[in-house]
Amino acid sequence: MMSILVIAESNGIEVDRGTLSAITAAQKIGDKINLLILEDSEQVINKAKKIKGVSNIITTSGDLQGGLAENLAPLISECAKDVTHVLSSAGTFGKNIMPRVSALNDSQQISDICEIIDADTFVRPIYAGNALATVKSLDKVKFITVRSTAFQAANDQEGDAEIVEGPVAETNGKSSFVKRDLSESDRPELTAAKIVVSGGRGIGSADNFSILDPLADKLGAAVGASRAAVDAGYVPNDYQVGQTGKVVAPELYIAIGISGAIQHLAGMKDSKTIVAINKDEDAPIFQIADYGLVGDLFEIIPELSDKI
Amino acid sequence: MMKILVPVKRVIDYNVKIRVNSEGSAVETNNVKMSMNPFDEIAVEEAVRLKEAGLAEEIIIVSIGDKGSQETIRTAFAMGGDRGVHIVNDLNTEPLVVAKILKNLIEKETIDIVIMGKQAIDDDSNQTGQMLAALLDWPQATFASKLELNDNQIKVIREIDGGLETLNVKLPCIVTTDLRLNEPRYASLPNIMKAKKKEIIEIPIEETGVDFSSRLEVLKVEEPEIRSGGRKVEDVNELISVLKNEVGVI
């Protein structure tokens, strides 16, 4: 029987959606799933107990503050002694910690898998999803991060996991947590949003960029941008969608004044529905958009915001 | 005064439309424009700014790859790197192997800070910095968007899902760069000329003492299903109508 360790990311209330996806991925590999909770929170533990498919919840205590990789990596390694696979979601938490754990175990991590072929073989996107590589791991224990959009969230209502007391985290004294500032925008985060409204160089200036706000507000959408718009100084870098920015896959992506450079397409082409609005009817973005509207965005966007 | 190591990787330029080779075994790199990994450019820029601020004395650039990697090292020189190490390997080097090679190099050079890209835009692994930190037992400041160096520690602001996080890490440490850390400069012509004279030491990977065999066997590489375009709509009313009735997202 293959025993799998899933590292949970939690927020003081519950494990996040990415962790639930990682649990689904784990179920495709083996049948005994241990979920490691890196937070000393009864609420999180009680909720995690109900995740279907999880056999054991491993609790931890000690110096867990800030989820510092330096303190958690040895603790995770200790919990990984008798397992064949260690999984986490490929969010920034997993991306930060997993390679540290993998290297401590002299194993070559497999990042951001989107499909499981068998217990050793996985598919993962490379070149920002412009190619898919099927890779076979030769390491004894496999350390894996999971692309959460590729696996459904596990049911978190019908499970009944056992609680097992796990190790105590110790500080190694080389790093310390200061604070976390989570954005308090009313808008959803780019990578988690159901709808994304993005602007490109066609928007023309930093001032003009606010033309997207009423539309985004009405749709409850996140606002993104192409690299061209970022390079032109219209918006900060963290708006950037593309190969060198964020990769998004919302239900609806509305590209406004974006010509559709390859590096931008790499960041949004997995969106379920793509709408492009551009005055140049030959813009490459129309080749991949489900619905295209040719015209002046300064007329179209206010009208769209009004009528939607 | 501090010594900074900046590892750089030569990758297919981010503006190139990549294609899979005819064997379906890799992405074609022959006759394709290559450039420095964009996140590594940010790392070089940050190191140069620390040197310009009088906080660092030397910037060592290291690259692992085929002959062309020397061009990438020279690009880093033109931005302000001082000297270079080229570990020669014509084949792909996995992140764990890269981390082991860098560890050996760091132990010889007494480095204070390693600044490197958070990921390379070819394999998108996002592993090497964290692995190197593990092997050295150094602290890691990944996905950094702001650094503030005080005495023997760095206060770093990191990009995390949903916001920012602030950490203090003691030196020596590993920093991996995110997009907002800085905007890399363009090299000036005199600096490009000067870069040609700077020293690069070549070391064949076989002489690094690191087992560089692959742990991840690439069985195949394929292009994802191509998304085909849909249709044009006439006006805003029609767009709203399809989004409501055909797509059902609004």
Side-chain angles (χ1 to χ4, degrees):
Chain A
M1 188 160 80
M2 281 199 252
S3 187
I4 297 170
L5 180 71
V6 177
I7 305 168
E9 179 176 1
S10 54
N11 56 10
I13 302 161
E14 58 190 356
V15 303
D16 73 346
R17 147 80 225 230
T19 303
L20 296 175
S21 297
I23 291 167
T24 300
Q27 287 174 303
K28 291 179 196 275
I29 300 171
D31 30 27
K32 192 182 172 209
I33 295 165
N34 305 301
L35 183 67
L36 178 64
I37 307 280
L38 294 165
E39 206 174 21
D40 199 356
S41 157
E42 232 171 275
Q43 195 178 348
V44 173
I45 292 162
N46 287 335
K47 228 173 154 213
K49 250 179 83 101
K50 299 205 180 90
I51 301 171
K52 215 173 159 188
V54 174
S55 312
N56 294 317
I57 303 282
I58 305 173
T59 64
T60 50
S61 56
D63 203 340
L64 300 165
Q65 198 206 12
L68 295 170
E70 295 78 5
N71 302 348
L72 296 182
L75 176 146
I76 296 167
S77 281
E78 205 180 318
C79 299
K81 271 180 191 152
D82 302 314
V83 303
T84 54
H85 298 73
V86 180
L87 270 65
S88 81
S89 93
T92 48
F93 180 77
K95 280 178 177 165
N96 182 48
I97 285 186
M98 191 64 93
R100 193 166 178 119
V101 183
S102 192
L104 289 179
N105 289 276
D106 194 33
S107 179
Q108 174 53 56
Q109 179 184 314
I110 311 124
S111 290
D112 215 11
I113 63 162
C114 57
E115 197 186 327
I116 293 162
I117 307 289
D118 60 39
D120 304 318
T121 314
F122 311 92
V123 181
R124 58 177 305 263
I126 56 174
Y127 290 90
N130 283 309
L132 296 170
T134 304
V135 294
K136 184 177 177 186
S137 166
L138 308 177
D139 282 308
K140 202 172 131 237
V141 182
K142 290 137 188 36
F143 294 83
I144 296 167
T145 59
V146 176
R147 176 165 285 208
S148 56
T149 50
F151 297 89
Q152 282 198 327
N155 174 320
D156 61 354
Q157 304 296 327
E158 293 162 22
D160 186 20
E162 293 231 356
I163 294 179
V164 181
E165 202 176 312
V168 180
E170 283 172 33
T171 179
N172 89 348
K174 291 177 179 173
S175 61
S176 56
F177 174 78
V178 180
K179 62 173 178 166
R180 198 164 285 163
D181 301 296
L182 298 178
S183 357
E184 282 181 32
S185 156
D186 294 336
R187 297 222 178 97
E189 209 226 326
L190 252 181
T191 50
K194 281 201 167 140
I195 302 177
V196 173
V197 175
S198 272
R201 208 199 296 269
I203 303 279
S205 74
D207 288 343
N208 287 352
F209 224 84
S210 59
I211 196 172
L212 303 184
D213 290 344
L215 181 61
D217 287 340
K218 264 200 160 162
L219 292 170
V223 176
S226 67
R227 179 163 178 160
V230 173
D231 283 348
Y234 302 169
V235 283
N237 232 340
D238 59 332
Y239 279 60
Q240 195 190 140
V241 172
Q243 187 164 13
T244 51
K246 294 191 164 103
V247 176
V248 301
E251 301 272 313
L252 174 63
Y253 189 90
I254 307 180
I256 299 164
I258 290 177
S259 64
I262 297 144
Q263 86 92 22
H264 184 72
L265 303 185
M268 45 67 85
K269 66 179 177 48
D270 290 331
S271 305
K272 208 160 170 203
T273 301
I274 297 172
V275 170
I277 297 168
N278 204 298
K279 67 171 188 253
D280 173 10
E281 63 177 315
D282 296 321
I285 190 84
F286 288 125
Q287 288 166 20
I288 65 147
D290 298 289
Y291 303 101
L293 178 54
V294 179
D296 182 357
L297 69 93
F298 296 102
E299 287 167 19
I300 292 171
I301 301 308
E303 187 188 344
L304 185 61
S305 311
D306 272 354
K307 290 183 175 168
I308 220 157
Chain B
M1 285 277 261
M2 297 195 314
K3 269 210 278 190
I4 303 177
L5 182 76
V6 184
V8 296
K9 186 175 186 182
R10 183 174 167 86
V11 298
I12 295 179
D13 187 87
Y14 72 86
N15 273 315
V16 171
K17 181 167 168 45
I18 60 122
R19 59 190 176 80
V20 172
N21 65 10
S22 50
E23 299 84 32
S25 61
V27 167
E28 188 61 70
T29 52
N30 281 331
N31 300 317
V32 172
K33 187 185 176 203
M34 306 292 282
S35 296
M36 190 192 301
N37 177 40
F39 291 104
D40 302 347
E41 278 187 340
I42 296 173
V44 175
E45 175 67 33
E46 197 65 17
V48 173
R49 288 185 190 188
L50 288 172
K51 192 181 168 189
E52 286 170 345
L55 297 166
E57 118 189 273
E58 191 179 33
I59 300 167
I60 303 163
I61 308 293
V62 54
S63 190
I64 304 175
D66 65 11
K67 250 189 176 166
S69 300
Q70 297 217 357
E71 198 182 305
T72 308
I73 296 174
R74 300 242 175 248
T75 306
F77 284 168
M79 292 173 72
D82 294 304
R83 62 182 168 94
V85 179
H86 175 208
I87 311 288
V88 187
N89 183 14
D90 288 340
L91 302 172
N92 173 48
T93 320
E94 290 175 352
L96 184 61
V97 176
V98 174
K100 288 176 180 175
I101 292 171
L102 294 177
K103 175 183 184 255
N104 287 354
L105 196 65
I106 286 162
E107 283 169 347
K108 275 184 212 135
E109 295 271 4
T110 54
I111 299 293
D112 301 280
I113 308 181
V114 180
I115 309 180
M116 56 202 291
K118 71 167 181 179
Q119 75 190 66
I121 60 164
D122 51 3
D123 65 23
D124 287 331
S125 288
N126 196 329
Q127 297 174 1
T128 308
Q130 298 88 314
M131 288 182 157
L132 179 59
L135 299 178
L136 290 163
D137 194 23
W138 285 9
Q140 65 190 51
T142 54
F143 327 144
S145 61
K146 191 167 181 234
L147 301 182
E148 208 182 288
L149 190 63
N150 317 298
D151 297 327
N152 261 331
Q153 69 173 23
I154 298 182
K155 184 172 164 187
V156 56
I157 299 179
R158 308 176 53 229
E159 305 263 353
I160 59 167
D161 293 335
L164 298 170
E165 183 177 273
T166 309
L167 302 179
N168 283 320
V169 293
K170 287 189 179 153
L171 298 184
C173 70
I174 310 286
V175 173
T176 77
T177 61
D178 217 317
L179 286 170
R180 282 203 284 181
L181 185 59
N182 61 48
E183 245 179 72
R185 69 194 62 195
Y186 290 100
S188 68
L189 191 59
N191 285 341
I192 292 172
M193 299 310 289
K194 267 192 240 162
K196 292 185 177 164
K197 296 195 187 97
K198 293 182 184 173
E199 182 198 19
I200 300 177
I201 298 171
E202 256 185 62
I203 305 171
I205 193 164
E206 296 79 9
E207 289 172 23
T208 57
V210 171
D211 171 10
F212 58 98
S213 57
S214 284
R215 308 278 193 85
L216 276 185
E217 199 182 323
V218 178
L219 302 183
K220 69 174 172 187
V221 175
E222 60 200 324
E223 277 167 26
E225 270 176 57
I226 295 168
R227 192 180 178 115
S228 52
R231 61 183 170 94
K232 298 246 168 71
V233 292
E234 278 308 307
D235 53 27
V236 169
N237 290 337
E238 191 189 347
L239 179 60
I240 292 175
S241 147
V242 294
L243 289 179
K244 278 194 173 140
N245 305 323
E246 289 177 33
V247 185
V249 278
I250 61 169

